[in-house]
Amino acid sequence: MTELLQLLTQGVALGAIYGLVALGFVLIYKATEVINFAHGEFLLLGAYIVYAFHAEVGLPFYVAAALAMVAMAALGWTVERSLLRRMIGRPTFSVAMVTIGLAIVLRQVVAAAAGYDDRIIGDPWGASSITLAGAQVNVVSLVTVGATAVLFAAFFVFFRRSKYGLAMRATAIDHEAALAVGIPVRRVYALSWMLAAATATVGGVFLAAFPATLSPALGFVAFRAFPAAIVGGLDSPGGAIVGGLLIGVTEMLVQGYQPRLAPWLGNDVHVVAAYVLMIVVLVVRPYGLFGTPEVERV
């Protein structure tokens, strides 16, 4: 039971991070119907900016994280205004290729500027842990879950109570109808990219926190979080967190028990498990657990 509790705690913490990353995919897709394949590189760049502000400039960690979120929001705005806005109305394939190209460019920029060596991001929690119901739990896991809960609560209030949150919801339902009633749809597009980039920074910080390290390979983690967005529903912010938790817990349970119960499956089966779960969900519910089915009128 102690081992199970530890695995579940770690799985929930990992799932919370996956939920944050998946939320970035959902925010952009829900508003613009674009899948941002550069989202992992947003996460990577945000984490490196936090490191630069904290370790090299000497700013307090929380100040560095806040400034990095602002910087990444500015980058998201710039990307939308300079690249994606020009692609409105273009084929989906072309838009996807633009984001893939952007991912490659950002990854190379980070590698050229910071190198390939592993770095310690300098999070204040470090290796500290507490005993919870007889199990040792890293403080960073609890902070991750708490921060994710606060962010999702903030997004819930934003989408329900704020002017631009309601505008984003209306734009997601029908772009043309939103334009007809005077909603600044292009401004909503830019806002969705800004929020996604800022949220990616938080996910990057927790992914690079103890016991992990910061390296250019961090950007590839987004591909492990992508099934969370698909499982929850690519147009559902709530589905992003549910999908993230399902994927995170599944990965940790498989990683903890598979080597003993089914060693013949080989190594790193936990990585494949997320995609197996995604396939199963899509076979049963093609739009994800909370996704909105498209209805075509003939």
Side-chain angles (χ1 to χ4, degrees), residues 7 249-259 268-271 273:
L7 290 173
V249 171
T250 299
E251 277 198 18
M252 291 308 303
L253 290 178
V254 172
Q255 186 176 13
Y257 291 116
Q258 176 267 326
D268 298 327
V269 178
H270 63 283
V271 177

Side-chain angles (χ1 to χ4, degrees), residues 8-9 124 154 171 178 254 257:
L8 288 176
T9 303
T171 302
V254 172
Y257 291 116

Side-chain angles (χ1 to χ4, degrees), residues 43-130:
L43 181 148
L44 170 67
L45 184 57
Y48 267 100
I49 293 176
V50 173
Y51 171 83
F53 281 147
H54 177 57
E56 298 181 7
V57 179
L59 295 176
F61 183 81
Y62 295 107
V63 175
L67 290 177
M69 290 178 68
V70 173
M72 287 303 299
L75 175 65
W77 180 87
T78 302
V79 167
E80 195 281 330
R81 285 296 179 99
S82 60
L83 295 177
L84 276 300
R85 182 158 298 187
R86 301 173 183 273
M87 301 301 294
I88 294 177
R90 304 294 177 86
T92 303
F93 172 78
S94 299
V95 180
M97 291 306 299
V98 167
T99 64
I100 292 174
L102 177 63
I104 295 172
V105 170
L106 290 177
R107 191 182 311 131
Q108 185 58 37
V109 167
V110 171
Y116 291 92
D117 294 335
D118 290 350
R119 300 168 187 263
I120 305 298
I121 198 171
D123 57 286
W125 316 289
S128 55
S129 62
I130 63 172

Side-chain angles (χ1 to χ4, degrees), residues 107-167:
R107 191 182 311 131
Q108 185 58 37
V109 167
V110 171
Y116 291 92
D117 294 335
D118 290 350
R119 300 168 187 263
I120 305 298
I121 198 171
D123 57 286
W125 316 289
S128 55
S129 62
I130 63 172
T131 302
L132 185 65
Q136 289 294 117
V137 180
N138 291 331
V139 172
V140 65
S141 297
L142 300 178
V143 174
T144 300
V145 174
T148 302
V150 169
L151 276 175
F152 271 91
F155 274 114
F156 179 83
V157 174
F158 172 76
F159 284 126
R160 292 294 190 277
R161 302 294 183 183
S162 71
K163 172 183 175 182
Y164 279 104
L166 294 172

